[in-house]
Amino acid sequence: MSRTFLGMPGTAPPGVGHLRGAEPFPAAARRGLADPQLRRNLGHATTTIRAKSGAVIGELPDWQALREAGSAIKTDVLTRLPELLEQLEAAVTAAGGVVHWAADAVEANRIVTELVAATGSDRVIKVKSMATQEIGLNEALDAAGITAVETDLAELIVQLGEDRPSHILVPAIHRNRAEIREIFLRAMPGVDPSLTDDPPALAAAARRFLRETFLTTRVAISGANFAVAETGTLAVVESEGNGRMCLTLPETLITVMGVEKVVPTWRDLEVFLQLLPRASTGERMNPYTSMWTGVTTGDGPQAFHLVLLDNGRSAVLADEVGRQALHCIRCSACLNVCPVYERVGGHAYGSVYPGPIGAVLSPQLTGVEDNASLPYASTLCGACYDACPVKINIPELLVHLRDRAPHPRAETAAMAAAAYVMDRPALYAAAQRAARLSRFAGRRGRGLPPPLSGWTIGRDLPQPPARTFREWWAQR
Amino acid sequence: MSGREEVLARLRAARGAVPPASAETPRDYRPAGRAADLDLLVDRLTDYRATVHRCAEPEVAEVVDAVLGGRRIVVPRELPRRWLPASVTAVADDDLSTAQVAAVDGVVTAAAVAVAETGTIVLDGGPDQGRRLITLLPDVHVCVLRSEQVVAGVPDAVARLDPRRPLTWISGPSATSDIELNRVEGVHGPRNLHVVLLAPDAR
């Protein structure tokens, strides 16, 4: 449980938002593994994206130098975070924006709800944002009588299907085209009943459905990919144009951003605008990137609010090894290369942040007690580290967090007993002889009996040899 | 404690010791300043389903006629009128309402910068490019690009652009990767992007 003291780093509070699953990873993973359609959809999508991403990364002779630069910029940001945020606040304010600070999800939801209520609008349009999913903003708005319309195609599929997102970039990655067609036919008001499952036809259906909403909604809520401290410039990277709609058409724009998204200088964007699209959607550049600085007279929203969110990030920053998880630019490359993610799917991770980055970020944001199984949701193969455009050493973090996670009492007792025995040669020899007796106990291949059975659910128990090395040595 | 003081105090406590002077960021990637390759730009634009027309400046009106002849379009206030053929009905954007802009068939603009390596054009809201909304709602966008506006890579574009202006980076028509992670063109932005690349001045 999080206990926060004023001014001390705090974890994300329980009971609000989507960082904690209802069940531990192994139980949820078993359900994903039992769904062959899910595995086919994920296998197809991740294979496609790996090929695309690999091809456009291969076009750049300086990819590794860009990764180095991206990693170094993020490391620098974390050592200067308070100063950079104050600089960002001053620049945004000077350009006509209003900056708000939220220590956790509850405060952020309250701030945004009050800002929307003050406009008198009972509907907002949203462009996909991990931060607002993390804090459960849609639920908070709903409780205040405000309808939040998700405008990203995949978010719309999830919202209409009353489903949960399962991927950072493509929240509906677990659905194939035929399933998406069924969801649209069932839940999209006014949809053409002759809709086919041709992807362009599905995209066109979403275009028609959202057009009127874009033109008539007065408030939009977005996240941010980057915020430049030096100039106060915000950037949103997207594909469909729903982001441009949200950032351009309404009178009021509210942007919710995790504090770690700040970068020091305008020039730093030359690094991240090369890294993000190639690692993320496997494009040389995504179709649309919008950048704005405060308010521009006569163009776009005339009221701009920026909400800076902590919600556990200070707790991540406090761990000198763990803090590199805050380098993440939400590209999802680590999900697309992970053999575990590809088989169990995003829902198994319980948090809005699935896959390898989720396995190291969610437990740190909530406190590792509340997501204790996630650091084990990996084979430590290291593909995620190779794929990460900002060089987060995810395997190192996983091991670090396994060390910090609470261990079952039986395991702790068994390890202490093993250490005691291995310290004492006579006892150790006796234990080896005793282990040999288990060959006759009829449990071969079935693991250990309770209470030690938990250890052998996911591990093979080595068969004790007929003769130990020490015995063989003594007889030579 | 206000939210602001609370968050800043938490981050100061979490960061630990006062930071040393920040080390210089290693920037060993290709810097700005390489020569721009116009053919590469055309290749990249075409690869992402934009239609490219290469012509001399006096021929722009012919291209616009071929793409938008007989249709109603919106144009930014200071778009050169010689780019518009008699066959289009052009409305200048004098604070048109959203509904008025949404009702036209197309838009013709200039651009600020284009990036050859990524096939990207950037608009900065200049008087020949207009408000962001006019290049968003119409279904056909014709963008006229002068060859000296083309730069080699992303660092060149960042160096040329002014972050205080509203910037829109456009790489091909509206698209999505949300269905089975494959790129599909045509969602909320213009579904047709035509880039008119002017030949270098013969002077």
Side-chain angles (χ1 to χ4, degrees):
Chain A
M1 293 301 294
S2 70
R3 258 178 290 275
T4 35
F5 299 95
L6 279 184
M8 292 306 290
T11 49
V16 56
H18 303 285
L19 287 170
R20 295 165 173 85
E23 55 190 348
F25 179 82
R30 215 161 274 132
R31 200 163 327 105
L33 283 170
D35 182 346
Q37 184 67 54
L38 172 76
R39 291 216 311 277
R40 258 197 305 278
N41 294 353
L42 281 174
H44 173 67
T46 54
T47 306
T48 306
I49 194 72
R50 284 195 299 263
K52 281 176 64 186
S53 181
V56 294
I57 285 172
E59 287 177 3
L60 292 190
D62 53 355
W63 181 252
Q64 295 307 331
L66 286 164
R67 289 177 80 209
E68 285 294 342
S71 175
I73 292 167
K74 288 290 185 177
T75 301
D76 175 42
V77 164
L78 295 184
T79 62
R80 297 194 286 140
L81 199 46
E83 293 78 12
L84 290 171
L85 291 170
E86 287 176 296
Q87 193 188 1
L88 174 69
E89 177 190 40
V92 169
T93 307
V98 182
V99 178
H100 309 260
W101 302 71
D104 59 32
V106 178
E107 274 189 36
N109 288 337
R110 180 185 55 77
I111 291 167
V112 175
T113 306
E114 287 176 5
L115 287 171
V116 177
T119 68
S121 180
D122 60 1
R123 186 176 65 192
V124 298
I125 44 177
K126 284 187 70 203
V127 50
K128 192 171 111 51
S129 139
M130 295 308 298
T132 62
Q133 279 181 41
E134 171 191 323
I135 63 178
L137 179 63
N138 290 6
E139 291 86 340
L141 289 171
D142 189 51
I146 299 162
T147 307
V149 182
E150 294 290 355
T151 64
D152 173 77
L153 179 55
E155 291 276 6
L156 183 69
I157 295 164
V158 167
Q159 203 174 36
L160 291 177
E162 294 175 13
D163 202 351
R164 288 182 300 134
S166 72
H167 189 274
I168 291 174
L169 172 72
V170 190
I173 193 173
H174 55 290
R175 299 291 190 190
N176 66 20
R177 60 184 78 186
E179 294 170 292
I180 294 167
R181 172 178 174 267
E182 279 168 31
I183 290 169
F184 280 11
L185 287 177
R186 193 174 64 237
M188 184 182 274
V191 72
D192 178 357
S194 65
L195 180 71
T196 67
D197 67 359
D198 186 31
L202 295 170
R207 178 183 171 101
R208 274 192 302 278
F209 173 66
L210 284 173
R211 193 74 172 186
E212 191 58 28
T213 306
F214 281 132
L215 296 180
T216 55
T217 306
R218 290 184 289 122
V219 184
I221 297 174
S222 83
N225 291 96
F226 309 103
V228 181
E230 156 185 77
T231 60
T233 307
L234 278 287
V236 164
V237 173
E238 54 131 354
S239 294
E240 296 164 17
N242 63 311
R244 290 179 70 191
M245 294 276 181
C246 292
L247 301 169
T248 309
L249 295 179
E251 295 158 15
T252 301
L253 170 62
I254 303 167
T255 298
V256 181
M257 179 189 109
V259 288
E260 80 282 14
K261 295 287 168 208
V262 67
V263 298
T265 68
W266 168 245
R267 189 187 172 193
D268 293 328
L269 291 187
E270 75 188 19
V271 176
F272 295 109
L273 287 180
Q274 295 190 76
L275 289 172
L276 181 53
R278 290 179 201 256
S280 182
T281 49
E283 294 165 306
R284 297 181 192 103
M285 192 63 91
N286 49 292
Y288 299 129
T289 297
S290 294
M291 299 179 184
W292 73 98
T293 304
V295 169
T296 305
T297 307
D299 187 353
Q302 295 301 296
F304 170 54
H305 297 271
L306 176 63
V307 181
L308 299 173
L309 175 72
D310 177 350
N311 203 39
R313 286 159 179 78
S314 54
V316 186
L317 182 64
D319 183 329
E320 282 188 33
V321 179
R323 66 169 59 158
Q324 60 176 309
L326 296 177
H327 290 193
C328 177
I329 56 174
R330 310 283 188 263
C331 72
S332 71
C334 61
L335 280 62
N336 300 335
V337 299
C338 179
V340 176
Y341 176 86
E342 186 177 326
R343 283 158 184 83
V344 303
H347 292 155
Y349 297 79
S351 157
V352 295
Y353 302 113
I357 187 61
V360 297
L361 190 56
S362 308
Q364 296 199 84
L365 290 171
T366 61
V368 73
E369 321 74 48
D370 282 13
N371 270 310
S373 61
L374 284 184
Y376 294 90
S378 166
T379 63
L380 301 178
C381 77
C384 47
Y385 183 25
D386 290 339
C388 178
V390 288
K391 299 186 75 169
I392 302 172
N393 190 336
I394 294 177
E396 177 189 50
L397 283 186
L398 288 164
V399 173
H400 174 70
L401 291 172
R402 287 179 187 187
D403 197 39
R404 282 182 40 199
H407 293 261
R409 210 174 310 162
E411 182 194 315
T412 311
M415 287 298 171
Y420 184 88
V421 170
M422 287 175 178
D423 249 2
R424 289 162 181 78
L427 260 182
Y428 186 63
Q432 284 184 316
R433 285 193 299 276
R436 206 160 57 220
L437 295 177
S438 73
R439 281 159 55 84
F440 307 107
R443 293 199 62 90
R444 271 165 63 181
R446 288 198 283 146
L448 292 166
L452 301 174
S453 51
W455 180 260
T456 48
I457 284 176
R459 298 172 181 83
D460 289 331
L461 188 66
Q463 198 185 338
R467 190 165 63 152
T468 70
F469 172 77
R470 284 152 176 265
E471 288 166 342
W472 171 79
W473 185 258
Q475 286 165 16
R476 292 181 73 237
Chain B
M1 225 180 214
S2 73
R4 179 180 192 278
E5 297 314 312
E6 171 69 24
V7 172
L8 285 170
R10 285 180 177 197
L11 294 174
R12 283 196 196 96
R15 177 201 30 208
V18 179
S22 72
E24 193 67 22
T25 300
R27 294 185 192 266
D28 300 327
Y29 52 87
R30 293 167 302 158
R34 287 177 294 135
D37 179 345
L38 296 185
D39 295 332
L40 182 65
L41 174 71
V42 172
D43 176 75
R44 299 307 201 219
L45 283 166
T46 311
D47 192 30
Y48 281 167
R49 304 284 190 279
T51 309
V52 181
H53 311 262
R54 300 183 79 161
C55 67
E57 210 265 350
E59 295 155 11
V60 173
E62 282 171 45
V63 174
V64 173
D65 177 53
V67 177
L68 284 164
R71 303 175 75 182
R72 297 180 61 239
I73 65 168
V74 61
V75 295
R77 263 181 287 205
E78 294 186 25
L79 189 86
R81 290 293 156 146
R82 62 182 179 278
W83 290 355
L84 300 177
S87 62
V88 298
T89 311
V91 190
D93 176 32
D94 280 309
D95 289 322
L96 297 176
S97 72
T98 303
Q100 285 172 306
V101 177
V104 302
D105 303 312
V107 56
V108 180
T109 69
V113 174
V115 183
E117 186 168 84
T118 60
T120 304
I121 55 180
V122 189
L123 309 182
D124 72 356
D128 55 2
Q129 297 154 58
R131 293 187 293 161
R132 286 173 281 175
L133 126 92
I134 67 167
T135 51
L136 177 59
L137 296 178
D139 207 17
V140 182
H141 180 192
V142 177
C143 184
V144 182
L145 196 59
R146 297 196 309 273
S147 56
E148 65 269 23
Q149 290 177 316
V150 181
V151 298
V154 174
D156 304 88
V158 168
R160 274 205 197 185
L161 291 164
D162 177 355
R164 288 165 303 183
R165 306 186 69 96
L167 302 175
T168 306
W169 299 57
I170 298 172
S171 308
S174 161
T176 181
S177 298
D178 281 356
I179 301 170
E180 301 174 5
L181 266 175
N182 235 328
R183 181 160 165 141
V184 178
E185 277 76 20
V187 199
H188 302 296
R191 287 180 284 192
N192 303 281
L193 176 66
H194 291 260
V195 177
V196 184
L197 177 58
L198 302 185
D201 274 345
R203 272 174 294 172

